[in-house]
């Protein structure tokens, strides 16, 4: 007898039970409805989103440490790791500069602030101080010094990714120098710790729908939908520029690696929707690291490029800053010359690198730019207070995709990308297997050629294969 087809309600229920994407999408819609109809209730459920973000952030530092140390030791070549870092910085600088320039071009063509005729004297500059907490962006020397840890424990306690990266590189270099004969148990312990962290992330991800519901309901309940009409032109310009930038990014990805950005978006649709719902790209960093590794990127490339990009490759923020600067100038009736706009690009190229982790960083960067120009009142930055949260989706999506593309491009550049596997994964021929369940699901029978579920472990040697070089003999040292 032919098998009966499940009814529509049963298929829907099964999809909601098994698909994180469907769960997060439903939570997003419900959050908008609750925030719109019951704004006070929407604001009250904000802790759901905040709590999820805190739990994920608690796992990021140990995960980055484990992935980077394991990546360096498995690669067995510290020089290769340095090349990856240098190539990543080159890509970051090019990408953010292109984003800034496209933003300025669009701001000049569309002129989103023209006609507002705002009197700067009537703007409340104290609102910006309240948003930023009276802080300021670090200088170049402060930024570099803050990237160097003064306490190994403090780097993890403060969740400072750059400091954790520096410590990870030092530990990885030390393991390579000592060799497997002196520290045979360290690398297996780090790899086991990595598995534990991924398992915890898997538990936390089950709470993602609640987090998206809480964050969305709070956003709509507190800010409403009125800002969409008030700042419609500015919002439209920023989102359009982001779309153009992503198209260019997709073209570059296809030309340099042969991979499709659209297929990558489909492959990571759950993480993208979660990042948009919580307005934070950090919430999906652990899962993105898993997916990039299973898509054929080598551990050391993923472990170094992705976390570094969170500080140095803020493409979405660069678009917002460039368009926002022109919007403010046009709104208060200031006509910026070509030389002043070039100054904007140069200033933002510097200030955007110190934004990560600084409260109200976008407003601090805009204030620094206004001060550098000397012709835009610093208080005019307050014009963007009402629209800043609405720009979160654009910034988060563009930043996240920009960093993932950077991992793929730099991996290909360094020869650390399995392109054949990447195409199969992005096409759906190889299914994604969360790493906390891999050990049970990726067992391959002896003699079998099926590696479709082997995950990233098939790309790198196991701990039993002694990835660390042997300790050099005394003759060799002499």
């Amino acid at each position: 007898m032919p098998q009966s087809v499940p009814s529509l309600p049963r298929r829907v229920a099964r999809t909601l039970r098994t698909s994180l994407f469907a769960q997060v999408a439903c939570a997003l819609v419900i959050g908008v409805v609750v925030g719109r109809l019951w704004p006070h209730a929407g604001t009250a459920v904000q802790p759901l989103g905040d709590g999820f973000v805190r739990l994920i952030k608690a796992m990021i530092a140990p995960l980055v440490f484990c992935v980077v140390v394991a990546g360096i030791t498995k690669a067995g070549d510290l020089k290769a790791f340095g090349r990856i870092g240098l190539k990543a910085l080159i890509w970051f600088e090019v990408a953010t500069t292109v984003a800034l320039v496209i933003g300025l071009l669009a701001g000049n063509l569309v002129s989103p602030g023209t006609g507002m005729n705002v009197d700067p004297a009537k703007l409340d500059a104290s609102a910006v101080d309240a948003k930023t907490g009276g802080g300021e962006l670090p200088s170049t020397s402060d930024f570099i010094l803050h990237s160097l840890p003064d306490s190994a424990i403090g780097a993890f306690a403060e969740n400072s990714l750059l400091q954790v990266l520096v410590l990870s590189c030092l530990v990885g270099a030390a393991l390579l120098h000592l060799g497997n004969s002196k520290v045979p148990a360290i690398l297996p312990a780090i790899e086991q710790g990595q598995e534990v962290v991924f398992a915890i992330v898997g538990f936390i991800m089950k709470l993602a729908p609640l987090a998206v519901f809480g964050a969305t309901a709070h956003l709509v309940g507190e800010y409403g939908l009125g800002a969409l009409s008030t700042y419609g032109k500015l919002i439209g310009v920023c989102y359009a520029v982001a779309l153009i930038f992503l198209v260019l990014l997709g073209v570059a990805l296809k030309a340099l690696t042969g991979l499709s950005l659209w297929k990558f978006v489909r492959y990571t649709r759950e993480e993208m929707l979660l990042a948009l719902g919580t307005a934070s790209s950090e919430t999906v960093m652990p899962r993105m690291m898993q997916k990039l590794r299973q898509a054929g990127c080598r551990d050391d490339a993923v472990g170094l490029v992705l976390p570094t990009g969170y500080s140095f490759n803020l493409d979405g923020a660069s678009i917002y800053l460039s368009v926002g600067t022109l919007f403010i100038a046009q709104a208060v009736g200031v006509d910026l010359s070509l030389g002043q706009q070039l100054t904007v690009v140069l200033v933002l190229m510097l200030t955007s690198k110190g934004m990560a982790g600084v409260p109200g960083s976008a407003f601090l960067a805009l204030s620094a730019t206004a001060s550098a120009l000397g012709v835009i009142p610093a208080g005019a930055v307050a014009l963007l207070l009402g629209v800043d949260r609405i720009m979160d989706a654009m910034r988060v999506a563009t930043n996240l995709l920009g960093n993932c593309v950077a991992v793929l491009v730099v991996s290909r550049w360094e020869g650390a990308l399995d392109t054949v596997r990447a195409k199969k994964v992005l096409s759906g021929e190889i299914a994604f297997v969360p790493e906390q369940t891999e050990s049970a699901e990726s067992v391959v029978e002896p003699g079998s050629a099926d590696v479709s579920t082997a995950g990233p472990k098939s790309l790198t040697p196991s701990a039993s294969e002694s990835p660390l070089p042997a300790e050099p003999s005394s003759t060799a040292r002499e």
Side-chain angles (χ1 to χ4, degrees):
M1 291 180 62
Q3 294 182 348
S4 59
V5 179
S7 62
L8 180 60
R10 286 189 176 183
R11 293 202 301 270
V12 172
R14 184 172 60 187
T15 301
L16 287 175
R17 187 175 65 254
T18 59
S19 171
L20 179 62
F21 178 80
Q23 295 169 5
V24 171
C26 286
L28 189 66
V29 173
I30 296 172
V32 171
V33 172
V34 170
R36 182 70 179 88
L37 299 180
W38 302 284
H40 294 294
T43 303
V45 296
Q46 180 187 4
L48 292 176
D50 293 345
F52 178 82
V53 173
R54 289 172 68 93
L55 286 173
I56 287 290
K57 283 186 174 182
M59 295 293 104
I60 289 177
L63 177 61
V64 168
F65 177 82
C66 292
V67 171
V68 171
V69 172
I72 292 176
T73 51
K74 286 179 178 179
D77 185 0
L78 199 59
K79 290 182 179 180
F81 199 70
R83 287 197 307 269
I84 291 173
L86 178 60
K87 291 173 180 178
L89 291 177
I90 293 173
W91 176 265
F92 294 161
E93 197 58 53
V94 171
T96 52
T97 302
V98 170
L100 287 169
V101 171
I102 294 176
L104 286 179
L105 289 175
N108 281 290
L109 289 173
V110 182
S111 301
T114 300
M116 294 188 69
N117 301 318
V118 175
D119 182 3
K122 296 181 180 180
L123 295 173
D124 184 12
S126 63
V128 178
D129 293 333
K131 176 76 173 180
T132 61
E136 60 182 16
L137 290 176
S139 64
T140 303
S141 58
D142 289 340
F143 179 70
I144 294 174
L145 284 176
H146 186 69
S147 301
L148 304 176
D150 58 0
S151 167
I153 297 176
F156 289 89
E158 297 172 6
N159 217 20
S160 176
L161 280 186
L162 290 180
Q163 293 185 10
V164 172
L165 273 173
V166 172
L167 283 174
S168 305
C169 293
L170 292 174
V171 172
L175 289 176
L176 283 178
H177 175 71
L178 292 172
N180 190 62
S181 58
K182 277 195 173 182
V183 284
I186 295 296
L187 183 58
I190 290 175
E191 290 181 320
Q192 291 166 15
Q194 178 178 297
E195 294 297 326
V196 171
V197 173
F198 275 132
I200 295 173
V201 170
F203 299 151
I204 298 173
M205 288 297 293
K206 296 182 184 299
L207 304 175
L210 288 177
V212 170
F213 165 72
T216 306
H218 165 68
L219 174 63
V220 177
E222 182 172 350
Y223 295 94
L225 301 176
L228 292 175
S229 58
T230 305
Y231 292 92
K233 198 172 183 180
L234 173 62
I235 296 170
V237 171
C238 284
Y239 277 81
V241 172
L243 182 60
I244 293 171
F245 177 78
L246 290 177
V247 170
L248 294 176
L249 207 60
V251 172
L253 179 65
K254 188 70 174 179
L256 297 174
T257 67
L259 303 178
S260 167
L261 182 60
W262 174 246
K263 289 184 178 180
F264 181 81
V265 171
R266 285 194 305 174
Y267 171 58
T268 58
R269 59 187 180 274
E270 296 174 350
E271 291 74 26
M272 292 298 302
L273 193 58
L274 176 58
L276 292 174
T278 58
S280 172
S281 56
E282 287 188 340
T283 58
V284 296
M285 183 193 287
R287 286 270 292 197
M288 280 299 192
M289 294 179 80
Q290 290 187 54
K291 288 205 162 182
L292 286 165
R293 292 168 67 196
Q294 292 201 26
C297 295
R298 208 167 65 197
D299 287 10
D300 52 348
V302 175
L304 179 62
V305 179
L306 189 63
T308 307
Y310 273 64
S311 294
F312 289 92
N313 191 39
L314 304 174
D315 300 325
S318 298
I319 291 171
Y320 174 60
L321 291 174
S322 57
V323 176
T325 301
L326 285 184
F327 171 79
I328 293 169
Q330 294 161 0
V332 298
V334 174
D335 186 19
L336 297 179
S337 65
L338 177 60
Q340 289 171 324
Q341 292 189 30
L342 291 176
T343 302
V344 168
V345 173
L346 294 174
V347 172
L348 291 178
M349 282 173 62
L350 296 175
T351 56
S352 63
K353 299 299 183 290
M355 287 176 55
V358 180
S361 56
F363 291 95
L364 291 172
L366 286 168
S367 298
T369 306
S371 300
L373 292 174
V375 294
I376 302 176
V381 178
L383 284 171
L384 294 175
L385 284 170
V387 75
D388 184 65
R389 285 298 300 273
I390 299 174
M391 297 296 187
D392 278 344
M394 180 276 292
R395 289 193 297 249
V396 166
T398 310
N399 289 344
L400 184 57
L401 282 175
N403 286 325
C404 291
V405 168
V407 174
L408 293 168
V409 170
V410 173
S411 296
R412 174 66 173 174
W413 190 359
E414 180 59 24
L417 174 65
D418 186 341
T419 308
V420 175
R421 179 182 176 86
K423 290 181 178 179
K424 289 182 178 181
V425 169
L426 298 188
S427 299
E429 297 179 39
I430 301 178
F432 170 69
V433 181
E435 293 189 20
Q436 69 270 14
T437 60
E438 265 192 329
S439 58
E441 297 183 23
S442 60
V443 177
V444 181
E445 293 294 330
S448 172
D450 182 11
V451 294
S452 60
T453 58
K457 289 180 175 59
S458 63
L459 303 177
T460 53
S462 65
S464 61
E465 296 176 295
S466 300
L468 291 175
E471 180 187 5
S473 63
S474 58
T475 305
R477 284 199 300 266
E478 294 172 357

